Amino acid sequence: MTNSTEGRERKTFGKPAPKRGGKSFDTRDKYERGSLKYGRRPSGGDDKNDDKARSFVQKRRLNKIEKDVHKDTIRLNKYIANSGICSRREADELITQGLVEVNGVVVNEMGYQVQKTDKVVFDGQGITPEKPVYVLLNKPKGYISTTKDDKARKTVMDLVANASPYRLFPVGRLDRSTTGVILLTNDGHMTKKLTHPSFDAKKIYHVTLDKKLTHEDMKLIVEGIRLDEGIAVVDQISFIEGKPKNEIGIEIHIGWNRVIRRIFQRLGYEVEALDRVMFAGLTKKNIKRGHWRILTDLEVNNLKML
């Protein structure tokens, strides 16, 4: 592939352009190595120093969360903000307007301290002061994406046990054999948003098949494969540059159970390996398999603006 062709391919992949198939999916693409929008470009410096810096930042974020957990009281505006309703400044306005009750009594006092045992109500509904936590995991093979398992199998919760003092929940699912990016959070609103069909969260996968994919079958996938739920729409699909023709890059937004595996099975292929390299703009850049990190404020804001 020439430099000009490669440039065009990297520019168009991932945008809602007309469906295309058969082009090369560049493993050096921003989705594989991480977009600069979500982090700084890796420098040529010492990897150990980079790891230490990332470790320091992670510890500092965890310490901030744990400080809130171990406090006996918390300012009412921070309590409201931590619940995810609004910012602290907006919470002050709600308090002065008399819209917040503590233990059945309207409180409009600025700086009011709330105890953990207090019941706080806003707009007729009880709220909790958990600060939203967002953890990005590079899931290894052999773990299931549930909070617990009746068969005592390993779950993603085992991998993020020390990530947060709050209880986390996986956003969507990756099956036991699938690896790659998965988000865990205690933010119920964000989870509902990212998993709702109308949201159309973009996901990019690296697929390894048991045999080479033909151009004819790739064209059929672009046109849409009929499954039990209906026509499986694939946003983009292409071969991976520099790899055998059994390695495919595929972008989808539908969240049907095992949809990618079933698409290829319908055409007589078996998926030997499936790795999610991007979910809703988040990549596994700088996260080793089985490791996790807390999202930056910029990444959280980007998710909220999607």
Side-chain angles (χ1 to χ4, degrees):
M1 175 178 283
T2 65
N3 290 337
S4 60
T5 304
E6 180 183 2
R8 288 196 301 271
E9 190 62 32
R10 293 170 64 183
K11 181 177 180 181
T12 58
F13 190 88
K15 293 187 178 182
K19 299 177 185 177
R20 298 177 64 184
K23 300 295 183 180
S24 292
F25 182 99
D26 192 345
T27 55
R28 296 168 297 173
D29 186 273
K30 66 179 181 179
Y31 297 113
E32 181 70 22
R33 70 179 193 271
S35 171
L36 297 184
K37 180 180 180 182
Y38 301 103
R40 299 174 63 184
R41 183 185 299 277
S43 66
D46 186 8
D47 289 340
K48 290 185 178 179
N49 291 335
D50 290 342
D51 289 341
K52 286 182 180 179
R54 283 193 292 271
S55 177
F56 173 77
V57 172
Q58 292 294 307
K59 288 179 181 178
R60 187 171 63 181
R61 288 179 183 145
L62 284 175
N63 288 337
K64 283 183 66 177
I65 295 170
E66 289 178 350
K67 282 181 181 179
D68 282 345
V69 173
H70 295 117
K71 285 182 179 179
D72 293 327
T73 62
I74 182 174
R75 286 174 62 100
L76 182 56
N77 64 348
K78 188 174 183 180
Y79 186 108
I80 297 170
N82 284 356
S83 71
I85 293 175
C86 59
S87 67
R88 286 200 207 182
R89 181 173 297 180
E90 292 168 331
D92 285 335
E93 295 178 3
L94 298 177
I95 294 169
T96 56
Q97 292 173 17
L99 301 177
V100 182
E101 295 182 2
V102 179
N103 298 327
V105 178
V106 174
V107 174
N108 50 25
E109 173 188 342
M110 303 303 295
Y112 186 88
Q113 293 287 327
V114 181
Q115 297 185 17
K116 291 185 177 180
T117 55
D118 289 340
K119 181 180 179 181
V120 180
V121 175
F122 166 71
D123 196 25
Q125 293 187 345
I127 58 177
T128 58
E130 284 193 6
K131 186 176 180 65
V133 180
Y134 308 88
V135 176
L136 193 64
L137 170 69
N138 187 353
K139 177 187 169 300
K141 193 174 181 179
Y143 288 79
I144 59 175
S145 303
T146 57
T147 54
K148 60 181 180 179
D149 183 60
D150 296 335
K151 299 179 181 178
R153 293 174 295 182
K154 295 181 291 187
T155 75
V156 291
M157 308 312 297
D158 299 325
L159 299 170
V160 298
N162 299 321
S164 169
Y166 305 126
R167 187 181 181 189
L168 301 175
F169 299 88
V171 179
R173 291 190 178 187
L174 293 179
D175 64 50
R176 192 177 183 185
S177 299
T178 302
T179 59
V181 177
I182 186 168
L183 180 66
L184 298 99
T185 182
N186 60 338
D187 186 340
H189 176 73
M190 180 67 72
T191 299
K192 184 177 180 181
K193 173 184 176 181
L194 292 176
T195 55
H196 195 277
S198 64
F199 178 70
D200 290 347
K202 297 293 182 182
K203 293 156 279 195
I204 296 179
Y205 292 83
H206 181 161
V207 187
T208 304
L209 303 174
D210 62 338
K211 56 186 176 182
K212 294 180 180 179
L213 179 67
T214 67
H215 288 279
E216 292 76 15
D217 286 339
M218 179 178 282
K219 184 178 179 181
L220 291 175
I221 293 173
V222 170
E223 292 172 351
I225 300 297
R226 178 170 292 280
L227 301 177
D228 294 339
E229 300 91 335
I231 301 297
V233 177
V234 170
D235 300 316
Q236 295 204 41
I237 180 172
S238 57
F239 295 108
I240 296 180
E241 182 180 346
K243 298 290 185 179
K245 297 300 183 182
N246 68 322
E247 296 193 36
I248 312 299
I250 186 168
E251 176 181 321
I252 64 171
H253 65 271
I254 53 177
W256 301 346
N257 185 40
R258 299 173 63 87
V259 61
I260 291 180
R261 296 182 187 275
R262 289 190 290 140
I263 286 173
F264 287 105
Q265 285 173 353
R266 185 59 61 92
L267 295 174
Y269 300 86
E270 289 297 325
V271 175
E272 293 185 341
L274 185 60
D275 185 45
R276 184 159 74 182
V277 299
M278 191 276 279
F279 170 70
L282 302 170
T283 76
K284 58 182 182 177
K285 176 188 176 184
N286 294 331
I287 309 178
K288 297 177 182 177
R289 189 80 75 202
H291 291 231
W292 55 267
R293 69 173 177 82
I294 296 174
L295 293 191
T296 65
D297 292 339
L298 175 60
E299 289 171 323
V300 174
N301 289 335
N302 285 332
L303 286 180
K304 290 180 178 179
M305 291 188 295
L306 287 176

